[in-house]
Amino acid sequence: MTKPIDSKEEPELEPATEEDEIVSSKEIARHLEELLGAQSDDENEDEIPEQENSDFDKQENGERQLPSFKNIFQAKRLGQIGWSQKHEHILTYRELHAVRMLLILGLAAIFLTLLLSPISAVKNIEVTGNSDLSKKEVLAAAKIHSRMSISELFTEQHFFIDSAKKNPQISQLQIKYLAANVVQIHIKEIVKVGFVKVNDKYYYVLADGRYIAAPLGEFDQRNLPLYDNFKSHAKLKLVTQQVGELSPALRNGISEVLWSPTKENAARVMLIMDDGNEVLVNANSLAKNMQYYPGMAVQVTEKGVVDLQVGAYFQPYGQ
């Protein structure tokens, strides 16, 4: 017979093996991870509703505020926000964009209305830089008139400049706006420096050597010199460029310009002056040396020859 076990006696435990200790350690670690993970999820779920409730409580109290992106995202996850609240920030942006566009279009319409209205019409046109050409001739060449608007003058500016340059005496034209209805037209003019006779016809000659047909009888009315004895157009152009650099008063005091070379000076030019004197000067330095002539002319009491080729000398006629 087996001996009965006394309830008070503790059963003998078999000693734990090494494998049993490893299994027990793994189970304890797994239980700890599950407990810590569950606690973390509970904390996160408690925080989200608390933040959402604070935002929506403000809206219920009458404070209409745009929800932040973070709160919208969180509320969307919990299904606690409607379609209009989710898209409220998008509608507001569209409204602001529409307001900006309306303001821009309104200002543009006002600006165009002012430009096209009679208020913007040109009332005063000033012309500067002209010597030979009159104000009327400059405006006619550029096709500009006082009845046009500032907007037309501004948008078609290149057309007016190109039109003006078709006149051989206008090399440059600038349009400046001095005031709301005041415009200044500034030109760089190629002046007329005299006449030339070609095939029994007289032509204006410009400072750049080009010819312009002179109206009948104009030769007798204009106080400009006659160019004669020039054997080539290159020599004529050289002299006209030099004469064009003279002041208008000095230029208009010349009666004739003659090409008069010698063995000593192949580029000598003789100028017959309106005051009765003759001036000898080198063609290459005519503009520079002729500056001394007015001072010498007032010092002499007789008429004669003023030699400005090398230095400055005066010799009365007949000596």
Side-chain angles (χ1 to χ4, degrees):
M1 297 180 62
T2 60
K3 185 179 180 179
I5 300 174
D6 190 357
S7 59
K8 294 182 181 180
E9 292 180 0
E10 294 180 0
E12 293 181 1
L13 298 177
E14 295 181 0
T17 64
E18 185 178 353
E19 293 180 356
D20 294 336
E21 291 179 356
I22 294 173
V23 172
S24 300
S25 300
K26 289 183 178 179
E27 290 179 354
I28 293 171
R30 180 169 57 80
H31 286 300
L32 287 174
E33 288 179 358
E34 290 178 355
L35 290 174
L36 291 175
Q39 184 178 0
S40 176
D41 292 339
D42 293 337
E43 290 177 356
N44 291 336
E45 290 177 359
D46 291 340
E47 289 178 358
I48 294 174
E50 183 177 353
Q51 292 177 353
E52 287 177 356
N53 292 335
S54 62
D55 287 336
F56 287 101
D57 288 342
K58 291 181 180 179
Q59 293 184 1
E60 292 176 358
N61 294 333
E63 297 179 8
R64 184 177 183 274
Q65 297 182 356
L66 293 177
S68 65
F69 177 80
K70 179 179 179 182
N71 292 336
I72 291 173
F73 178 74
Q74 292 172 347
K76 183 178 179 182
R77 288 177 57 193
L78 296 175
Q80 298 176 358
I81 186 167
W83 185 90
S84 60
Q85 291 173 329
K86 283 192 291 184
H87 294 272
E88 185 175 4
H89 66 293
I90 299 178
L91 294 176
T92 303
Y93 172 77
R94 290 176 179 173
E95 291 171 358
L96 291 175
H97 181 68
V99 170
R100 291 195 194 99
M101 292 302 298
L102 288 174
L103 287 175
I104 293 173
L105 293 175
L107 292 175
I110 294 172
F111 179 72
L112 291 175
T113 302
L114 291 174
L115 287 180
L116 298 176
S117 66
I119 300 176
S120 65
V122 178
K123 294 182 179 179
N124 186 20
I125 301 177
E126 300 178 2
V127 177
T128 60
N130 56 318
S131 177
D132 290 341
L133 296 174
S134 64
K135 175 181 177 180
K136 184 178 180 180
E137 290 173 329
V138 173
L139 296 180
K143 303 185 186 306
I144 296 174
H145 54 82
S146 58
R147 298 185 302 275
M148 65 176 49
S149 64
I150 293 291
S151 61
E152 181 182 1
L153 193 62
F154 180 78
T155 56
E156 301 294 334
Q157 181 169 303
H158 292 291
F159 168 77
F160 300 125
I161 293 175
D162 293 339
S163 299
K165 287 182 178 180
K166 293 179 181 179
N167 187 310
Q169 286 195 259
I170 300 177
S171 62
Q172 293 181 8
L173 184 141
Q174 292 180 336
I175 302 176
K176 299 180 181 179
Y177 304 92
L178 302 182
N181 305 100
V182 181
V183 177
Q184 182 187 83
I185 308 297
H186 180 76
I187 67 169
K188 185 176 180 180
E189 186 181 49
I190 303 173
V191 296
K192 299 171 182 174
V193 295
F195 290 93
V196 292
K197 188 176 181 180
V198 180
N199 299 327
D200 296 329
K201 291 183 179 180
Y202 290 100
Y203 296 86
Y204 285 119
V205 60
L206 302 180
D208 60 0
R210 288 182 295 169
Y211 299 161
I212 300 178
L216 187 64
E218 189 78 10
F219 173 72
D220 298 329
Q221 298 175 9
R222 295 294 300 268
N223 188 25
L224 291 173
L226 176 65
Y227 290 75
D228 197 9
N229 204 34
F230 286 86
K231 304 304 181 182
S232 70
H233 186 265
K235 295 181 175 64
L236 176 64
K237 183 177 180 180
L238 171 63
V239 175
T240 56
Q241 288 176 341
Q242 292 285 320
V243 175
E245 296 180 15
L246 299 177
S247 64
L250 188 55
R251 186 168 62 241
N252 293 334
I254 303 173
S255 177
E256 291 183 57
V257 180
L258 306 175
W259 185 259
S260 178
T262 62
K263 292 181 179 180
E264 292 77 14
N265 185 1
R268 192 181 79 164
V269 175
M270 177 183 292
L271 307 177
I272 299 177
M273 309 300 293
D274 289 340
D275 59 10
N277 292 323
E278 294 179 3
V279 179
L280 301 176
V281 65
N282 192 297
N284 297 293
S285 57
L286 187 151
K288 178 181 177 181
N289 292 343
M290 278 298 292
Q291 296 177 3
Y292 303 106
Y293 176 75
M296 295 182 63
V298 297
Q299 295 179 10
V300 299
T301 58
E302 300 178 83
K303 304 301 178 184
V305 178
V306 178
D307 192 341
L308 298 176
Q309 297 177 83
V310 181
Y313 303 97
F314 175 76
Q315 183 178 0
Y317 291 132
Q319 295 185 10

